[in-house]
Amino acid sequence: MDPEALKKYSALHPKPAGLTLQYGTAGFRTKAEQLDHVMFRMGLLAVLRSRAVLSTIGIMVTASHNPEEDNGVKLVDPLGEMLHPTWEEYATQLANAEERELQKIITEICQKAAVNQDKDASVFIGRDTRPSSKKLSQSVIDGISVLGGQYHDYGLVTTPQLHYLVCCRNTQGQYGKATLEGYYEKLSKAFTELIRQSPSSGESQRHLKIDCANGIGALKLSEMEPYFPKEVLIHLYNDGTKEKLNHLCGADFVKVHQKPPRGLDMKPNERCCSFDGDADRIVYYYKDATGRFHLIDGDKIATLISIFLKELLAKVGQTLKMAVVQTAYANGSSTRYLEETLKVPVHCAKTGVKHLHHKAQEFDVGVYFEANGHGTVLFSKAAETKIRQLAKEEEDDEKRKAAKVLENMIDLINQTIGDAISDMLVIEAILALKGLTVQQWDAVYTDLPNRLLKVQVADRRVIDTADAERRAVTPPGLQERIDELVKKYKLSRAFVRPSGTEDVVRIYAEADTQENADALAHEVSLAVYHLAGGKGAPPQP
């Protein structure tokens, strides 16, 4: 490491005085103009991480569903997973260090993590379509270069594509070819094989309207379109040519506001979906004949995938263990349907994709989705080997066919992370193979009415939770009060959890009617206000 070069380059990417940032589930995210130093330093960190694990590391410049003025950065570990928690702490230390301490902190990280500075380092870089992303990814490159790392800049890619590319590279091509063409070919081949087996294959065209949040999803879907079978017609809206990224559109907007995005004209019973800004989340929706809007969120997507996989696993006749992982925000009706009707075990994990991903790895087949539409399916090595073997060698026709469908599903699913493009193709294939309309899918179960609220508090740390955030351990008396309130309503539950980013407490309540869900949420918000140090005026109903 050349201390003089580090000093010189670091001065070109100065840290604004008094700014401290925290590496969270989504990496670093804030206003774009405050991120130049962070990008440079994450370039440095990626080189250290690469030398520590002797593998290629990914850096994605994106702020996902945040407004266009924001930006952010997250690191991708060797198998396409999120950065290791210990290194999240290193990231925070490095981002917040004063310039004169940089050298010292890098040396400390090298000692703690046994980093050999003489090893080769390799970093893959990707970015979204924000106006600030190109310049910020140049700052990343400066950081990589100062420490003598090699890099490949993939330019504009979706977040899941970068995760995929990193995984391909570090599995020496076992997971696929580490190029965008490789990604398009692998997914479209599996998708085409699945669609060709559907009952109505070749007769009717399947139309799908996609709101691309004015983001990277539009660019990549149009690149991928030539690879799609001709039975499938996608229509792109909010493609980024006219409007701002994520403005009144995208998966997050649709989920939060429970209404269609701007710029997409919906006719009754048409299948529509929305990606978020970096294309790692997806939600579906439609309008019924009376004009009522129906949202199909991550819970219902997980349910559809589970129904399909469970049928196939039963046909194959293997004793593979399947489970669904949700968070406390999953609608109670989905949990009930999965456990009682489908007889699939459901596990609850803390909010945040990394917690769900980690839990899902415990099963042969682990389906995980957050209600916001971020999720995927994981297959254990053993399950995958078994399924591929059966698809090749099984003598019973029915079993072999089912194994072949499972094999195509394995290839179509991006197992590194939630991927809107991959998830969309999985859903389209399942609906075609099962001959389901969007209304029939929606009717599998009816969501319990629910309400999300937040209460401002002086210090969010006064609330501590247990049982995957479903119970409040502190402050004393709060959980007892919530338990009393929940008893007043039918089919009800409620929980509170501190926000990961601001001094607010988030409240979720559900009950048999919207009126009861609203009343319960309000009563719980009052309890939080009085027992957990609420700020400002008490919550109004």
Side-chain angles (χ1 to χ4, degrees), residues 184-202:
Y184 298 141
E185 279 163 8
K186 179 180 172 182
L187 269 65
S188 58
K189 180 175 173 285
F191 178 64
T192 304
E193 287 194 16
L194 287 165
I195 280 283
R196 295 274 145 90
Q197 294 171 42
S198 75
S200 60
S201 174

Side-chain angles (χ1 to χ4, degrees), residues 183-244:
Y183 171 92
Y184 298 141
E185 279 163 8
K186 179 180 172 182
L187 269 65
S188 58
K189 180 175 173 285
F191 178 64
T192 304
E193 287 194 16
L194 287 165
I195 280 283
R196 295 274 145 90
Q197 294 171 42
S198 75
S200 60
S201 174
E203 294 162 34
S204 59
Q205 288 192 307
R206 300 184 61 81
H207 291 266
L208 174 67
K209 291 185 167 179
I210 307 168
D211 153 35
C212 299
N214 290 312
I216 184 74
L219 264 172
K220 298 297 137 181
L221 274 174
S222 25
E223 279 175 18
M224 193 174 182
E225 212 169 341
Y227 294 85
F228 287 158
K230 58 182 185 307
E231 296 94 310
V232 175
L233 274 185
I234 58 171
H235 309 274
L236 307 184
Y237 296 83
N238 297 321
D239 63 0
T241 50
K242 301 189 212 38
E243 290 280 345
K244 280 171 74 166

